[in-house]
Amino acid sequence: MTPFLTASWRNLLMLNYEIDPAVLAPRVPACTSLDQWQGHTYVTLVGFQFLGTRLLGIPVPFHGAFEEVNLRFYVRRAVDADVRRGVVFIRELVPHRAIAAVARALYNEPYQTVPMRSDVTHDPETAVTYSWQLNGRWHTLAGRRAGGGTAAEPGRGPGRGPGSHEDFITEHYWGYTRQRDGGTLEYRVEHPRWRVWAAADVQVDADLSALYGPELARWLERPASMLLADGSAVRVGWPRRVT
């Protein structure tokens, strides 16, 4: 079946914050449970480039390349012997109303449209800045890669491999969204493993309380880890209702 969406997700800056699981419990979709790494629960603030966007294989005029900033957490769903590790989005910022409208209509994803801009450089090393305008001011998420990247193949590179923290954050291949009637939609996200670096010189100049509310924002003060992933081509499948 033709995937609903294909694109490239590139230069992902990922700030990972430990959080009390009780704060996320009301947001967990039915038929899933919170996923943890070594007993710790995380939310991740992500900024990245959305490039080469196609819907049903067709390029989207004037909407092929844009920025996204989102806040997400991690869940799992057991299907017979298969454990599907997935993400749930709390809020997703994009600059195009049409993109947000389609995502809300088909997936009920929590998209919000705001003016956005980005700056990505690769000389001498990758540095990224993602910005959005809200409540009359620009907010910024920025950082650069540091040290040697961990290899994409399982088990190669320092600290990287099945069961590592980097894997927990980056290797999720399902998305789940709560529906207005209490049900859950599930969709598959396919991509190869990403090369990951530690991020340095990270700056968050943003009113996160205005975006996510004070209860969540108070957990987003000091990240437990900061990563920069190169990204890859991705395929996003059609949503299906979970029973």
Side-chain angles (χ1 to χ4, degrees), residues 143-226:
R144 64 170 179 84
R145 79 182 193 190
T150 57
E153 292 78 15
R156 296 185 58 188
R160 180 70 189 272
S164 69
H165 177 71
E166 293 89 345
D167 252 26
F168 177 81
I169 297 299
T170 61
E171 304 301 316
H172 289 81
Y173 298 101
W174 297 89
Y176 294 94
T177 59
R178 296 179 65 187
Q179 302 304 290
R180 295 177 182 87
D181 62 1
T184 299
L185 287 186
E186 173 188 76
Y187 56 92
R188 188 162 191 168
V189 180
E190 300 176 76
H191 65 77
R193 292 168 62 87
W194 293 335
R195 189 172 177 86
V196 180
W197 291 260
D201 296 336
V202 169
Q203 301 176 35
V204 182
D205 180 12
D207 183 355
L208 299 182
S209 183
L211 269 179
Y212 310 121
E215 182 184 26
L216 275 174
R218 72 184 186 90
W219 296 93
L220 307 178
E221 295 179 355
R222 182 176 299 176
S225 66
M226 302 176 292

Side-chain angles (χ1 to χ4, degrees), residues 3 8 19 28 58 93 98 112 116 130 164 170 182 192 200 208 218 231:
S8 287
I19 190 172
V28 175
I58 302 172
L93 303 180
Q112 180 176 346
M116 300 186 73
Y130 298 106
S164 69
T170 61
L208 299 182
R218 72 184 186 90

Side-chain angles (χ1 to χ4, degrees), residues 2-241:
T2 301
F4 173 71
L5 179 145
T6 58
S8 287
W9 294 347
R10 295 291 181 182
N11 302 305
L12 296 94
L13 180 59
M14 314 176 82
L15 309 186
N16 310 298
Y17 302 84
E18 191 170 354
I19 190 172
D20 184 343
V23 176
L24 297 177
R27 300 175 181 267
V28 175
C31 302
T32 71
S33 58
L34 279 174
D35 200 5
Q36 296 181 315
W37 182 74
Q38 297 187 354
H40 301 282
T41 303
Y42 292 94
V43 292
T44 300
L45 182 62
V46 186
F48 67 102
Q49 293 175 298
F50 219 119
L51 306 176
T53 307
R54 292 172 175 259
L55 296 180
L56 303 179
I58 302 172
V60 183
F62 310 110
H63 293 70
F66 54 92
E67 304 83 6
E68 180 173 323
V69 171
N70 65 57
L71 183 68
R72 71 188 201 181
F73 65 94
Y74 305 96
V75 297
R76 58 173 52 206
R77 174 175 179 251
V79 182
D80 298 324
D82 180 28
V83 176
R84 298 179 177 179
R85 299 178 57 222
V87 302
V88 178
F89 294 101
I90 295 172
R91 182 68 57 83
E92 298 166 87
L93 303 180
V94 292
H96 298 307
R97 288 187 176 87
I99 297 293
V102 170
R104 285 195 296 262
L106 288 181
Y107 296 83
N108 195 34
E109 288 283 17
Y111 273 84
Q112 180 176 346
T113 306
V114 294
M116 300 186 73
R117 62 193 183 196
S118 62
D119 182 40
V120 177
T121 61
H122 300 285
D123 185 18
E125 59 191 10
T126 300
V128 301
T129 301
Y130 298 106
S131 302
W132 63 97
Q133 191 177 45
L134 185 68
N135 296 335
R137 59 161 287 202
W138 282 95
H139 308 253
T140 298
L141 172 65
R144 64 170 179 84
R145 79 182 193 190
T150 57
E153 292 78 15
R156 296 185 58 188
R160 180 70 189 272
S164 69
H165 177 71
E166 293 89 345
D167 252 26
F168 177 81
I169 297 299
T170 61
E171 304 301 316
H172 289 81
Y173 298 101
W174 297 89
Y176 294 94
T177 59
R178 296 179 65 187
Q179 302 304 290
R180 295 177 182 87
D181 62 1
T184 299
L185 287 186
E186 173 188 76
Y187 56 92
R188 188 162 191 168
V189 180
E190 300 176 76
H191 65 77
R193 292 168 62 87
W194 293 335
R195 189 172 177 86
V196 180
W197 291 260
D201 296 336
V202 169
Q203 301 176 35
V204 182
D205 180 12
D207 183 355
L208 299 182
S209 183
L211 269 179
Y212 310 121
E215 182 184 26
L216 275 174
R218 72 184 186 90
W219 296 93
L220 307 178
E221 295 179 355
R222 182 176 299 176
S225 66
M226 302 176 292
L227 305 174
L228 185 62
D230 58 356
S232 68
V234 299
R235 294 160 52 97
V236 179
W238 288 86
R240 61 176 295 273
R241 194 171 180 89

